[in-house]
Every structure is written in structure tokens, then in C-alpha cells.
Amino acid sequence: MTQGDQRVLAKAALLHDIGKLVYRANQLSGTHSQRGAEFLKPFLGDTDSGRELLRCVRYHHGRELDKAKLEKDDLAYIVYEADNIASGVDRRTLEEGGEGTFDKEMPLYSVFSAFGGSAQAPFGKYHLRGLNEEDRFNYPLQESIKASSDTYARLVQILKENFQRKPLPLMSCNEVLRIYEDVTSFVPSSTNTGELADISLYMHSKVTAAVATCMAAYFADQGRADYKSACFDKNKEFRQEEAFLLVSGDLSGIQDFIYTIPTKGALKSLRGRSFYLEILMENIIDGLLQDAGLSRINLLYSGGGHFYALLPNTEAARASVAKQQQAVNAWLLSHVGTRIYLAAGMAPCTAAELLQSDSQGSVFARASQSVGKDKIQRYDAEMLSALFDERSGINAVHDATRECAICHTSTADLEPYGDSDMDQEACPMCAGLYRLGHMLVSYVDTCFVIAKKTHYKEPSGMPIYNWGDKASVYVVPVKELTAFAKDHDILRLYGKNKAVTGELVNQRLWVADYVCRDEQRQVMDFSQLADLSADAEGKGIHRLAVLRADVDNLGAAFISGFISDEEKNRSHYATLSRYSDLSRALSLFFKTAVNKLAKGELRGQGTYLQQPFSIWQEKEAQPRAAEPLPVK
């Protein structure tokens, strides 16, 4: 299978249920499979790859696939079986828009409805809408909510406009993923009245595409091209093969790295250090997926210095993980020493374990155990030899008499740290982290760019890992991106909270970037925030209050969060899509809802309005004198 075929398969699997939007918008005719193919046809052109994609969408249900009499190597067979694995049911007969009991007006339910193993009533429900960071936060509500065909029609129109702006075949998989996220995040995957509609169409489609690309790579590695036999005629036999590889990664040493800061300028230092670890991890993930020939479609979860990704269980994929991990840790040793370490673990698994199985939780448990073992055995013999050799490249950079005022490591190079009034000198790493924090709080509309300089300029970026070459991360105002590109070779680009379209865009990163500003619109530091606790005359205790909100035992949630106590069907709710939607719901709250809460925006979609709390009984919500800082 070529890279082109792999991209066609990824897009086809991601868009396989697009006809559900068209069906619920009362547009076109036929089943949702037929409507989806009809909708996409004008945007693909009359090419072999376009026709292949349309067949995947048109025949992703068993009954129609059986009648189609396709060639045995048609990608539609892979999409069909990937859909089964992602949804936890066999899609041979039941299809929305065909026979069965479906309710077009059914909204998306909160994924927490089934958390703990049994459906809890009453369910929290979401308003049907696109994903817009500037709009009110879409909290799940207890009230009666219905999804209208008019709203579905608006979502379909957004897809049309995007596909007309840039032909679908020319879009990268990451671009299609970002567009689909914008449109289908609050769309239920299924409106079958006999099922719990708590899985979003976005996440189901994303997991389907991840499974499909892994299957294709696994078959290619074995030289198998009879997809009909493996995915349709004898799919139960295939489900017992260890075709998948759950990869888990974790950055160790986060707390010490983040809180190595001085008192003065602490806010910008914390922001810079916390965000740097986040962008470092995202860049590592993208490097790993790119090396494996995959996209962010295969990323199941990332946050808090941790990630899960689904890869094919091939020798090439396993070697890629090991190679990338070794390269990352070698880079970390040379730039931050032993303070930060990337631990990685792998767990081979079968489709049966991913497909509604009692053993599904054990897959995550095995990956976690593998990560734990790796943390105990951090470095190989070559790295350990370099660590204890005073003449090695790792130790040579520390061979000097000057000490960084922040991290206290010895270095031959010191530069001014912080603002002009701070009168401190620091190593390039600490000084750069402060600059990064300053850029984060200084601009609103920015994007994050991984790039190489094409000629020398004053330092404004932070060194960051990039396989085989030097690179830095930059915080660039969107309006300055064109000028920036003239002086830099852009390798990777991320949008902050807002959608950014382009070939180099990997994904949007959600960032809690609210800051409190004074009357001159300058960002207030912690000492100024502490002063606000006094009265107008400055009387009172000048102190900060700290509210820490953390999610404990997230690993345990991935292992057993949806395992039911019902003896007959303990894994009824334990699907890969549901676990992925759970982690995404948590990320959206801590990265976007927190921004709005800090701003005093307490009204959500519909009738949701949280009454503000204040010891002074303020009647209206006001912007908070607060700084939301991620706690890893």
C-alpha cells in the first residue's frame, strides 16, 4: 500500500459517516451511506483515488458491502471492519436512514452518563452546534434538548464551504481532521433509540480512521491484500490477531521543571515552562506519528505530559517508537540534563480486545506497566557511559564557572533574564522560557511554530526537539506569520484555540491563556494580584489564594471506568471511542471552560447560567483577578 493509498483510506474512514449529517438535515435521499457518497462526489473529481474513497463511504455497512461485489483488495472492507471495532457492534444490518428505530432530534449525551459502568439518569445533554471557542461553552444540561434539521443543515453548509475552499484530495489528513472536529464535536454518532447516544460523531469517526490505518499497515507488513477475507468473510479470525499496538508516553520530572522559578516574574516563568512542556510533547507525538507514516488521527489522548496513540503492531512501528524515544532523551540530556525524561511503553493487542471486550482495560494496564518499567530503567549503556564521562558532550556544556541564577547549573553562556528591572542572568534555556511566557501573555491571536532560522536574528524562540536537525518553537502573532515565514523554514504549525488552515497545520492546541490586566492593559504579576486582596486604601492582607483542580486516577479510568457491574455484559459501555471522548471532554473543560470561568463568562449554551460566588455578594459576573495555570 502506497502513502497515497494510506491517505485515501484515512480520509475515507474519517468521513465514512458524513451522510448522517446529510440525512439528519433532510437533504438528498437514501440511507446515510448513499447520502454521504452523493454529498462528497462533487468535491473529489473523477480519479481512481476519488472513486476509492466514495466506495468506502458508500459500502461501509455489511448488507450493502455484500451486494456490491467489490474486488477483494478494496479499501471498503477495511473501513467496514474498522467501523465495527470503533463502535463495538457489527454493522451488517442496522443503518441509520434504513430500517430500525432512529430519532433525528436526539442530542449528544454527556460521556459521563455511562461512566462507572451503568447509565445514570437523568443524562446531561449538549446543544447541537459546531465547535467555536469564541462562543459560550457547551455545558451538558439536564433540560429537554432537541437537535433540529436546520442546525444540521448549517453544519453541512460549513463542510461544503471548506471543501469548496480547498479540494478534499489536496487536504492533508490533519486538515480534514480539524475541519471535522469543528463540525461534528457535538453531533451524536448514533441516534438509535436502543443505544446511549453519548459518543460524538467526531470521536467515533476519528477512532475508526485510526483503526483502519493500523489495519492497512499491518496487512501491508504481512503482504496480505485479500481484505475481503480478513475483514468480512473471516473477520472473527482476524480479531484474534495482535494487529494493533497501544503506545503510551509520559514525561517524568514535570513538577520540578515547572517550579524552578524566581519569585519575581513568576507568572511569565510558570506560563513559559508549563507551555513549553506541552508543545514539546505535542511535537514529539507528531514526530513519532510522522515517522510511522501516520497522522494525528492515530492520537487517542494527550495532556498533562502523557499520551496514548494507536499504531500498527509491526516491526517498523515498534522500532520507530524505540528510535524516537532514544533520540528525544538524548536531546533532553544535552539541553535540560536528567530533569526531564520521556518514558514510553507498548502493548500489542487484538481487535477483540479493542472491540467491546472484558479485556480491553488490560490493554491500557499493560501499556501503563510498560511505561512504569521504563521509568525504572531510564537510560541504555551508551547514555549512562556519556553521563559518567566528564569529557562527553553532555557534560562539556556544563564545564564552566558561571552559574544560572534560576536553575543553578554551570554554563559558559549567560544572558539577561526577564524584564530590564530584574537584574539577573540565566542560562539560555531559562532565559528563553521566560521569553516564551512573555509572548504567551502578550498577544491574543497567536499560533505556535516549529521552525529553523534561515539567517541570524536576535533570539526569540526556544530550542525544541526535532528529529535530525536543530529547531526552535516560536509564538507568532497570526498577522505576522507571513513575515515570519520569510526568515524561517517552517516545519510544523499549531493554531491556538482558533482554527488555522494550511498544509503545515498539525492541529489546534487548546490553551488556558487568560490573564488579568491592569488599567493600562498590562499583564499583572503575582505580586500585583496579591495587592488586589486589600481594600482600596491598601489595607488588609496582601496574599494570593490558590485553587488546585486536578483529575486523579485518570489511568484507572482508562482501565476500568466503563466496565459495568452487570454480570451478563460487563463491557457494554467499554468502547475505544467512549474512552477517547472521556479524555477529550476533560481536556476541553480544563483548557477552554477555565478560560471562560476566569473571564467571568458563566453563561453557557441555552438556559445554563451559573450564579457567581462572591463574599461581597456581587450581582454580576466580573473578570477574575486570576491566572489559570496548568498543573501537571
Side-chain angles (χ1 to χ4, degrees):
M1 177 176 286
T2 66
Q3 280 292 96
D5 292 335
Q6 187 86 345
R7 287 192 291 270
V8 170
L9 175 64
K11 294 177 187 177
L14 187 64
L15 300 173
H16 76 281
D17 269 342
I18 197 171
K20 289 184 177 180
L21 293 172
V22 183
Y23 167 72
R24 296 170 196 171
N26 295 327
Q27 297 179 8
L28 302 178
S29 60
T31 63
H32 81 260
S33 301
Q34 295 167 333
R35 298 185 199 218
E38 191 68 22
F39 172 79
L40 288 172
K41 190 175 181 179
F43 308 112
L44 291 171
D46 189 17
T47 63
D48 289 341
S49 60
R51 288 188 287 272
E52 182 93 72
L53 192 152
L54 288 178
R55 287 197 299 273
C56 292
V57 175
R58 175 67 179 82
Y59 302 113
H60 71 271
H61 278 259
R63 185 163 53 187
E64 294 184 329
L65 180 58
D66 190 34
K67 295 178 180 178
K69 306 299 180 183
L70 303 177
E71 297 294 329
K72 63 182 181 181
D73 63 347
D74 200 287
L75 298 180
Y77 290 108
I78 296 180
V79 174
Y80 160 74
E81 178 64 356
D83 185 25
N84 292 336
I85 297 169
S87 59
V89 297
D90 198 316
R91 304 287 189 180
R92 286 185 184 267
T93 58
L94 201 60
E95 178 174 5
E96 188 169 350
E99 300 175 5
T101 305
F102 296 91
D103 180 5
K104 292 182 180 180
E105 296 183 330
M106 183 182 292
L108 176 67
Y109 288 71
S110 167
V111 73
F112 290 98
S113 300
F115 190 73
S118 59
Q120 305 295 319
F123 302 136
K125 300 175 283 292
Y126 292 100
H127 281 275
L128 177 64
R129 47 160 277 195
L131 185 62
N132 185 351
E133 184 270 339
E134 295 179 341
D135 205 347
R136 296 171 180 172
F137 193 78
N138 202 4
Y139 297 102
L141 306 178
Q142 302 294 329
E143 64 189 57
S144 176
I145 296 175
K146 291 186 177 182
S148 71
S149 59
D150 289 342
T151 305
Y152 273 115
R154 287 196 292 271
L155 295 178
V156 170
Q157 183 61 32
I158 293 173
L159 286 174
K160 285 183 180 179
E161 292 170 357
N162 276 280
F163 295 156
Q164 289 168 348
R165 192 176 299 120
K166 185 175 183 179
L168 185 56
L170 298 182
M171 287 186 182
S172 68
C173 293
N174 286 327
E175 280 186 282
V176 181
L177 180 66
R178 197 275 302 160
I179 292 169
Y180 217 52
E181 178 187 29
D182 283 350
V183 174
T184 61
S185 284
F186 296 111
V187 173
S189 173
S190 173
T191 61
N192 185 346
T193 55
E195 299 176 4
L196 178 60
D198 63 330
I199 299 173
S200 68
L201 181 58
Y202 166 71
M203 193 54 69
H204 166 69
S205 302
K206 184 174 184 287
V207 172
T208 299
V211 171
T213 52
C214 289
M215 291 170 61
Y218 174 76
F219 290 144
D221 183 67
Q222 295 194 336
R224 295 161 65 179
D226 188 351
Y227 306 143
K228 182 176 185 292
S229 175
C231 302
F232 192 76
D233 295 333
K234 301 178 180 179
N235 58 351
K236 290 184 179 180
E237 295 179 13
F238 161 72
R239 293 174 188 176
Q240 303 305 317
E241 300 179 30
E242 288 189 333
F244 304 94
L245 189 70
L246 183 67
V247 177
S248 179
D250 186 76
L251 281 177
S252 297
I254 285 179
Q255 295 286 352
D256 289 341
F257 181 84
I258 290 178
Y259 291 106
T260 303
I261 56 172
T263 301
K264 196 167 185 179
L267 186 149
K268 293 178 181 178
S269 296
L270 281 172
R271 282 291 175 92
R273 287 175 176 269
S274 179
F275 175 74
Y276 180 73
L277 291 179
E278 184 171 0
I279 194 72
L280 173 65
M281 179 59 98
E282 296 295 338
N283 194 46
I284 290 170
I285 292 168
D286 283 313
L288 171 63
L289 293 173
Q290 183 176 338
D291 190 61
L294 302 170
S295 68
R296 288 184 75 89
I297 284 172
N298 292 77
L299 177 63
L300 300 179
Y301 168 77
S302 67
H306 195 88
F307 77 86
Y308 287 107
L310 191 66
L311 273 63
N313 186 23
T314 63
E315 182 60 35
R318 293 190 296 272
S320 178
V321 174
K323 178 183 68 175
Q324 289 287 338
Q325 183 198 15
Q326 185 177 38
V328 168
N329 284 322
W331 185 91
L332 289 171
L333 275 175
S334 64
H335 285 78
V336 297
T338 58
R339 288 178 292 171
I340 301 293
Y341 175 78
L342 175 67
M346 294 177 276
C349 57
T350 67
E353 290 176 302
L354 299 178
L355 175 69
Q356 193 177 327
S357 167
D358 284 347
S359 57
Q360 184 182 87
S362 70
V363 178
F364 288 96
R366 295 200 303 269
S368 296
Q369 291 168 0
S370 181
V371 169
K373 182 179 179 180
D374 188 60
K375 288 182 179 180
I376 298 174
Q377 303 172 336
R378 279 193 169 196
Y379 303 113
D380 59 20
E382 184 179 347
M383 286 187 178
L384 287 172
S385 177
L387 276 170
F388 288 102
D389 183 358
E390 62 182 14
R391 296 166 298 179
S392 71
I394 294 174
N395 293 315
V397 296
H398 303 297
D399 185 16
T401 57
R402 307 178 74 194
E403 186 178 85
C404 172
I406 310 304
C407 67
H408 304 295
T409 57
S410 297
T411 177
D413 300 309
L414 291 177
E415 55 186 77
Y417 178 85
D419 299 329
S420 58
D421 63 338
M422 294 178 64
D423 194 28
Q424 288 180 306
E425 287 189 315
C427 65
M429 176 65 74
C430 289
L433 289 169
Y434 183 91
R435 287 196 304 271
L436 183 62
H438 173 76
M439 292 292 291
L440 282 171
V441 301
S442 296
Y443 301 96
V444 177
D445 294 325
T446 59
C447 52
F448 311 123
V449 187
I450 311 296
K452 298 184 296 184
K453 292 180 182 178
T454 54
H455 63 267
Y456 178 79
K457 294 185 69 174
E458 288 298 317
S460 60
M462 270 296 300
I464 196 166
Y465 167 76
N466 181 56
W467 175 258
D469 209 345
K470 292 183 178 180
S472 297
V473 57
Y474 300 84
V475 180
V476 182
V478 174
K479 61 182 180 181
E480 298 177 11
L481 189 57
T482 301
F484 177 88
K486 295 178 180 178
D487 299 323
H488 298 80
D489 181 11
I490 297 178
L491 306 174
R492 197 166 286 135
L493 191 152
Y494 302 87
K496 185 186 76 169
N497 295 337
K498 298 180 181 178
V500 180
T501 301
E503 188 64 28
L504 292 173
V505 176
N506 270 42
Q507 192 54 283
R508 162 184 30 223
L509 295 184
W510 299 108
V511 180
D513 61 346
Y514 172 80
V515 290
C516 185
R517 299 179 184 272
D518 60 21
E519 294 179 355
Q520 286 73 43
R521 302 298 300 156
Q522 297 300 309
V523 176
M524 301 179 73
D525 208 336
F526 287 142
S527 60
Q528 295 169 294
L529 292 173
D531 290 339
L532 295 179
S533 64
D535 61 18
E537 297 179 356
K539 297 179 181 179
I541 301 176
H542 296 238
R543 287 183 180 173
L544 290 173
V546 177
L547 170 65
R548 174 169 176 158
D550 197 8
V551 179
D552 288 333
N553 299 322
L554 185 58
F558 277 101
I559 295 171
S560 59
F562 290 104
I563 299 299
S564 175
D565 53 8
E566 300 175 10
E567 290 297 328
K568 292 183 179 180
N569 197 355
R570 297 185 67 248
S571 59
H572 178 64
Y573 298 110
T575 65
L576 198 58
S577 298
R578 192 168 271 114
Y579 281 116
S580 299
D581 247 335
L582 168 69
S583 61
R584 185 168 176 272
L586 292 171
S587 294
L588 280 177
F589 178 82
F590 283 105
K591 297 292 183 65
T592 61
V594 165
N595 265 353
K596 297 181 182 299
L597 293 173
K599 292 177 184 178
E601 297 178 7
L602 305 184
R603 180 179 291 279
Q605 291 289 307
T607 62
Y608 181 86
L609 176 59
Q610 180 66 41
Q611 295 299 322
F613 169 80
S614 172
I615 59 175
W616 308 117
Q617 298 299 313
E618 293 178 358
K619 293 184 179 180
E620 296 183 3
Q622 299 292 331
R624 310 288 191 185
E627 298 296 337
L629 294 168
V631 177
K632 309 294 186 184

